[in-house]
Amino acid sequence: MGATLARCLGARAGDPEPSALSSLFPAFVPLAVALLASLAFGRLASRFGVPRVSVYLLVGLLLGPHVGLRVFGPDSNPALLLLGAPTEVPLRVLQELGVGFILFGIGSAFRIATFREVGARVTGVSAVEIGATSLLVGGAVFAVTGDWRLGLIAPTLAVSSAPSATMVTLREVEAEGPTSRLLILCVGHNNLFVLLAFPLLLSLTFGVGDPAAATFAAVAALLVGASIGFGAAIWLESITGRREMVLLGILVVIGAMGLAHLVPSGGTALGMLGCFGAGLALANGSPHGEELFRYLENTVYPIYVLFFIAAGRDLHIEELAHAGALAFVFVVARVAGKLLGTHLGLRLVRLDESLPPTIGAGLLCQAGIALGLVATLEAAVPVDSERLRHVVVASVVIFELVGPWLVRRTVVAAGEVKLANLLPHAEARGAEAVRWVFLEIRRNLGRIRSAPDDAPTGPTVEHAMRRRPRTVQMSLSFEEVLKLLAETGADLLPVVDAEGALKGVISYEEVKNTLYDPVLRDLVIAEDLTFRVDDALEPATSLPAALEVLDRHRVQSWPVVLDGSLVGIVRRTDIYALMRR
C-alpha cells in the first residue's frame, strides 16, 4: 500500500519509499479519532454553555501521553488510536501554523480607527493591568523563594495571555462590543510586552544573551511582518475572489513564520511578532482586509481545532501534584493582578461605567507563550529555574482549562453575545435524523417535491438581535455623529434619551445631505438628523416579518424596542445567518 501511494505521488518504480511520508501515515488514525471526539463532545458541551476550546483541550489531554497512554500503555492495541509519538511532528507543525494565524488575527484588531476612538484608554487599562500583575506576582515569588532574579523574571510569565484560546472563544459565540474589543487589544498588549521584555530581563537577571540584539531582532520581526502585510494590502486591491483572498492570507502567515525560522536566532517568538505585524499592516492598509480575515477564519478553523488538541496533549497534568506552595501563590497573585489591574485601569480612564469591573477574568487564559518562555529560561539556567518551570506548567494546566469558560462568561455577562448563540440548536437525532436523510434522498430522486410540513419553526428577532448597540444622544454634534457612523460601519444609529427610550434613528442618507454644507455642519446636532420610528421591531417579531420591515425601509439594520426602551438592534446579515442555521 505504501509503495503504491508513493508511486501515485510521483515516486519512480524501484525508488525507496519516502521515510517522511511513511512515518506520517500512522498519525492519520489517531488524529481522526481526536477530531471525531472533538466534534461529538464539542456539540454536547455547547448545550451546557461549555466553550468548545475547553473540549478540544480535554480531548488532547485524555488521548495524549499524560493520561491515555499511561492508562493503556504505549505498546497496547488501544494506543494505536491515541496521540502517541507518530502524531508529535504533524501536531508541532499545526501548532506553529495555529499560532501564526491567531497572531495574524490579533494584529488585525489593532486598527488605527479603533485607536483613534479608544486606543489611549485601552493602552492605559493594559498598562495598569500589566503593572499590577507584575508587582503582585513578582512580590509573591520573591517572598516564597527569596530569589530576586526569579522575582524579576516571573512577572513576564504571568502577564502573558493565550491569544488563541481568547480569540477562538470570542469567535465561537460571535461576541461583538466594547468588552470583546478591549479583551482582544489587552491580549495583544500583554503578549507584545512579554515578547519584548523577556530577553531584556533574562539578560539582566541571569546574564544570558545580548539584550540589544534580542530587542533588535524583535523589532525587525515586527517590521518585516508589517512589510509583508503592506505588500499583501497592495496586492489585495486587485483581488476580488474569495478563494484568492484566502490563498493570500495563508501565504502571508506561512511567509512570516518561515522567514522568522530562517533567522539564526529566530523561532516561534519572532514568527508570532511577524504575523502580528502583518495582520496590523494588512488590516489598516486595505479596505478589503476585513473580508480576507473573515474568509480566512472559516477556512483555517480545522487548524485551530488541531492546535488545541495539540495543546491539550502537552498539558502535564501531573505537575499539579508537584507544584507546591509556590504554584499556589503564583496562581493567586496572577488572578488578583489581572482582576484588580483591569478594574483600577477602567476607573482611571473612566471606562468603569460602560464596561464590567470583572473584565480581567477574560484575560486569564495562559498557554503556549508562557511555556515557550519558561522552556527558554530552563535551557539557559536549568538549575536556577527548575522550581519556576513546575509552577508555570501547573499554572497553564489550570488557566488553559478554566480560562475559555471565563472569557465566554465575561462577554455573555456584558451582553455582547446574541441569544441565538447561547441556546442549544434544534437538531434531529437518532431515528429522526435517519428519516430526514431518506426524505432528502427521495427528494433528489424526484419522489417528493418539498420538505414535510412538520419542519422546525424559526426563531424570532430576540435570538438574532445585538443587545449592546452603539447609540447616540440627542445633543451630540454633527462631527461626533459622523465619527460614530464611520467607526461602526452601520447604516443607521439609534437615538436615545437619558433613560434609554428610543427617540428615533439617524441614517447615512440624512447625514450625507449635510456632509458637504460647511455652514450646516457647525449648526446641526443629532436631534436635527433624527427621524421618528413608528414601526420598531419587538423581540417576539418573527424573522420573516423583520425582513419585511427592513425591505420596506431599504435598510440593513433596524432598532428593537420593548416597552418603548431600546433593547437591541437587528441586522439583515444576522437574520440571514440565523435562518440558514
Side-chain angles (χ1 to χ4, degrees):
M1 176 66 75
T4 303
L5 285 173
R7 286 194 294 271
C8 292
L9 290 171
R12 293 174 300 175
D15 284 352
E17 183 180 344
S19 58
L21 185 61
S22 61
S23 64
L24 183 62
F25 287 138
F28 286 179
V29 171
L31 291 179
V33 171
L35 288 173
L36 175 63
S38 299
L39 178 61
F41 291 113
R43 291 171 60 84
L44 178 64
S46 64
R47 301 178 65 86
F48 299 97
V50 178
R52 292 175 186 256
V53 170
S54 298
V55 175
Y56 303 152
L57 289 165
L58 285 172
V59 167
L61 175 63
L62 295 176
L63 299 182
H66 305 293
V67 177
L69 288 175
R70 287 193 174 184
V71 173
F72 294 103
D75 299 324
S76 63
N77 288 330
L80 298 175
L81 305 178
L82 303 180
L83 301 174
T87 64
E88 187 168 353
V89 172
L91 286 179
R92 287 286 177 269
V93 175
L94 290 168
Q95 277 185 301
E96 292 276 342
L97 288 175
V99 166
F101 285 115
I102 290 292
L103 266 294
F104 187 52
I106 289 281
S108 71
F110 283 71
R111 288 182 169 86
I112 296 175
T114 301
F115 270 82
R116 287 173 55 194
E117 179 188 3
V118 296
R121 290 188 288 178
V122 172
T123 304
V125 174
S126 296
V128 176
E129 176 258 317
I130 290 171
T133 305
S134 300
L135 287 174
L136 290 176
V137 172
V141 171
F142 175 71
V144 175
T145 64
D147 191 335
W148 65 270
R149 298 173 302 172
L150 294 182
L152 279 179
I153 202 73
T156 58
L157 306 175
V159 166
S160 66
S161 299
S164 50
T166 306
M167 284 284 288
V168 173
T169 302
L170 292 175
R171 288 170 175 171
E172 178 187 329
V173 294
E174 299 179 16
E176 181 181 315
T179 299
S180 308
R181 181 170 52 190
L182 186 140
L183 286 177
I184 294 173
L185 294 176
C186 283
V187 166
H189 288 144
N190 285 349
N191 292 313
L192 277 179
F193 166 79
V194 166
L195 292 173
L196 295 174
F198 181 78
L200 296 174
L201 291 175
L202 186 62
S203 177
L204 292 174
T205 52
F206 295 100
V208 176
D210 183 356
T215 303
F216 175 79
V219 174
L222 277 172
L223 294 177
V224 170
S227 300
I228 295 174
F230 183 71
I234 296 175
W235 200 355
L236 189 56
E237 291 303 304
S238 61
I239 292 177
T240 57
R242 174 174 178 172
R243 295 182 180 87
E244 291 180 325
M245 285 187 178
V246 171
L247 185 60
L248 180 61
I250 295 174
L251 168 65
V252 169
V253 172
I254 292 179
M257 294 294 293
L259 287 176
H261 282 272
L262 290 177
V263 178
S265 60
T268 303
L270 294 185
M272 292 168 62
L273 289 171
C275 291
F276 177 89
L280 187 151
L282 181 57
N284 287 284
S286 173
H288 308 294
E290 186 174 350
E291 291 180 78
L292 183 147
F293 287 105
R294 185 172 66 252
Y295 296 152
L296 185 65
E297 174 191 341
N298 296 330
T299 302
V300 303
Y301 187 78
I303 294 180
Y304 293 159
V305 177
L306 290 167
F307 169 86
F308 288 111
I309 291 173
R313 180 186 183 276
D314 294 336
L315 288 180
H316 294 256
I317 196 74
E318 69 276 5
E319 294 288 348
L320 292 175
H322 303 95
L326 183 58
F328 176 78
V329 298
F330 182 91
V331 169
V332 171
R334 184 173 187 266
V335 172
K338 296 284 184 181
L339 292 176
L340 295 177
T342 50
H343 180 60
L344 179 59
L346 290 174
R347 294 191 64 180
L348 290 176
V349 301
R350 299 180 180 179
L351 284 175
D352 54 316
E353 294 183 358
S354 58
L355 294 174
T358 58
I359 195 172
L363 298 174
L364 289 175
C365 290
Q366 188 183 30
I369 295 177
L371 291 176
L373 295 180
V374 80
T376 302
L377 180 63
E378 186 180 22
V381 283
V383 176
D384 296 319
S385 62
E386 184 177 0
R387 293 182 66 188
L388 200 57
R389 183 186 71 83
H390 291 297
V391 168
V392 172
V393 173
S395 170
V396 166
V397 172
I398 296 171
F399 289 122
E400 193 68 346
L401 294 177
V402 178
W405 178 79
L406 291 173
V407 172
R408 178 187 174 106
R409 186 176 183 276
T410 300
V411 292
V412 169
E416 297 183 4
V417 179
K418 294 183 296 183
L419 183 60
N421 292 333
L422 301 177
L423 298 176
H425 300 158
E427 54 187 30
R429 294 191 297 271
E432 184 183 0
V434 174
R435 171 174 170 265
W436 277 94
V437 169
F438 278 102
L439 283 173
E440 179 65 13
I441 293 174
R442 290 180 61 195
R443 187 184 67 82
N444 289 325
L445 292 173
R447 301 293 300 276
I448 56 176
R449 296 190 177 185
S450 61
D453 296 333
D454 58 345
T457 57
T460 64
V461 166
E462 183 180 13
H463 301 91
M465 70 181 185
R466 302 278 175 173
R467 294 181 288 161
R468 290 288 298 273
R470 299 289 294 276
T471 58
V472 174
Q473 297 291 325
M474 299 284 283
S475 58
L476 203 65
S477 67
F478 176 79
E479 295 296 335
E480 290 296 323
V481 171
L482 193 62
K483 179 182 177 183
L484 277 176
L485 278 172
E487 290 171 351
T488 60
D491 62 326
L492 57 82
L493 293 171
V495 183
V496 297
D497 59 16
E499 286 74 34
L502 181 68
K503 309 304 292 184
V505 294
I506 296 175
S507 70
Y508 175 73
E509 292 297 323
E510 294 295 324
V511 170
K512 74 177 184 180
N513 295 329
T514 311
L515 188 59
Y516 301 106
D517 193 324
V519 177
L520 289 178
R521 283 177 68 124
D522 296 330
L523 300 176
V524 169
I525 61 175
E527 184 177 6
D528 302 319
L529 301 168
T530 303
F531 66 88
R532 185 176 175 180
V533 174
D534 296 321
D535 55 350
L537 299 171
E538 294 184 353
T541 305
S542 68
L543 296 186
L547 285 176
E548 291 180 4
V549 174
L550 293 173
D551 291 339
R552 185 164 64 247
H553 291 281
R554 297 181 180 179
V555 293
Q556 300 302 314
S557 57
W558 202 244
V560 184
V561 300
L562 183 63
D563 297 329
S565 296
L566 181 72
V567 294
I569 192 166
V570 66
R571 301 173 184 170
R572 186 184 296 271
T573 53
D574 288 334
I575 293 177
Y576 287 152
L578 188 53
M579 292 178 73
R580 284 197 302 270
R581 181 183 301 171

